[in-house]
Amino acid sequence: MTKPIAPALIIIDMINDFQFKEGALLAEKADHLTVPINALRAYFHHHHHPVIYVNDHYNLWQANLYKIIDYCSNDISDKVIQKIQPRDDEYFLIKPKHSGFFGTALNTLLNQLNIDTLYLAGIAGNICVLFTANDAYMREYQLVVPENCIASNCDEDNQYALLMMNQVLKANIDPISEDNYNISGKFPS
């Protein structure tokens, strides 16, 4: 008997060294994202649905979470990494480019897990989240991209990315709150 179709939470590039122009600004925004993302994560765990991290590999080319965390750890990134790092029962994939689908096993994993809906969270909203959403849409996944679960260096760019994901990719962008996880209909009672 096959599993029923279910959602998955995809957390994008939150294990990050923030060693780039405006990296400290994005780190501060990422720190604020940890609260709603972790609330959503807890909800997914409570309902036994997968949480999948898709992260830049920083030229390490080994899908070893701990090597990537060690590489990314510094005074700017540590508070974010400590709050959001993957648990042992979560999936962790590395990606070579912006999209979580490009050059990764993400689509194969989602197919094996019988996933039809993706909840996207992470950074940067206007690049890696947007590119992942675009590739997910082309693969006919339903999309939910809570506006308070993504951030970009520039707030205007982030808002534009949300607008594109909502209007073009048909993503639900309603924010996540304690009272509204936008997922109750996807989970059995």
Side-chain angles (χ1 to χ4, degrees), residues 74-154:
N74 59 54
D75 291 340
I76 297 171
S77 66
D78 281 349
K79 67 180 179 178
V80 176
I81 292 171
Q82 289 171 6
K83 292 176 184 176
I84 199 79
Q85 71 181 344
R87 300 176 358 178
D88 288 339
D89 61 347
E90 296 172 329
Y91 298 92
F92 183 79
L93 303 173
I94 59 171
K95 63 182 180 68
K97 292 287 184 182
H98 310 304
S99 172
F101 286 92
F102 181 79
T104 75
L106 181 59
N107 198 53
T108 301
L109 175 60
L110 295 171
N111 285 326
Q112 285 187 354
L113 296 172
N114 294 315
I115 302 301
D116 76 336
T117 302
L118 302 181
Y119 285 72
L120 303 182
I123 56 175
N126 64 327
I127 304 170
C128 297
V129 176
L130 178 61
F131 285 35
T132 300
N134 186 67
D135 283 356
Y137 178 77
M138 289 190 305
R139 288 167 174 81
E140 300 183 353
Y141 290 100
Q142 294 177 43
L143 290 169
V144 180
V145 186
E147 67 181 354
N148 62 335
C149 289
I150 72 165
S152 305
N153 290 347
C154 173

Side-chain angles (χ1 to χ4, degrees), residues 3-181:
K3 291 183 180 180
I5 299 295
L9 173 60
I10 311 295
I11 299 174
I12 301 165
D13 288 343
M14 289 294 285
I15 309 302
N16 201 298
D17 68 357
F18 300 103
Q19 297 298 305
F20 47 85
K21 184 180 177 186
E22 298 180 4
L25 173 65
L26 190 56
E28 193 61 37
K29 291 178 181 185
D31 187 43
H32 292 293
L33 294 181
T34 62
V35 174
I37 292 173
N38 280 331
L40 191 55
R41 232 172 116 192
Y43 202 77
F44 269 73
H45 282 293
H46 178 76
H47 291 282
H48 308 287
H49 290 292
V51 174
I52 304 166
Y53 284 73
V54 182
N55 215 91
D56 285 340
H57 61 68
Y58 296 95
N59 289 319
L60 297 176
W61 284 109
Q62 294 175 346
N64 183 313
L65 168 64
Y66 303 105
K67 285 184 181 181
I68 292 173
I69 287 175
D70 185 54
Y71 178 86
C72 289
S73 293
N74 59 54
D75 291 340
I76 297 171
S77 66
D78 281 349
K79 67 180 179 178
V80 176
I81 292 171
Q82 289 171 6
K83 292 176 184 176
I84 199 79
Q85 71 181 344
R87 300 176 358 178
D88 288 339
D89 61 347
E90 296 172 329
Y91 298 92
F92 183 79
L93 303 173
I94 59 171
K95 63 182 180 68
K97 292 287 184 182
H98 310 304
S99 172
F101 286 92
F102 181 79
T104 75
L106 181 59
N107 198 53
T108 301
L109 175 60
L110 295 171
N111 285 326
Q112 285 187 354
L113 296 172
N114 294 315
I115 302 301
D116 76 336
T117 302
L118 302 181
Y119 285 72
L120 303 182
I123 56 175
N126 64 327
I127 304 170
C128 297
V129 176
L130 178 61
F131 285 35
T132 300
N134 186 67
D135 283 356
Y137 178 77
M138 289 190 305
R139 288 167 174 81
E140 300 183 353
Y141 290 100
Q142 294 177 43
L143 290 169
V144 180
V145 186
E147 67 181 354
N148 62 335
C149 289
I150 72 165
S152 305
N153 290 347
C154 173
D155 292 339
E156 292 81 15
D157 289 350
N158 201 65
Q159 284 305 116
Y160 182 72
L162 283 164
L163 180 69
M164 293 297 294
M165 287 185 273
N166 179 247
Q167 292 185 353
V168 177
L169 307 180
K170 312 299 185 229
N172 177 339
I173 62 169
D174 294 338
I176 294 300
S177 70
E178 288 183 28
D179 298 326
N180 176 20
Y181 288 96

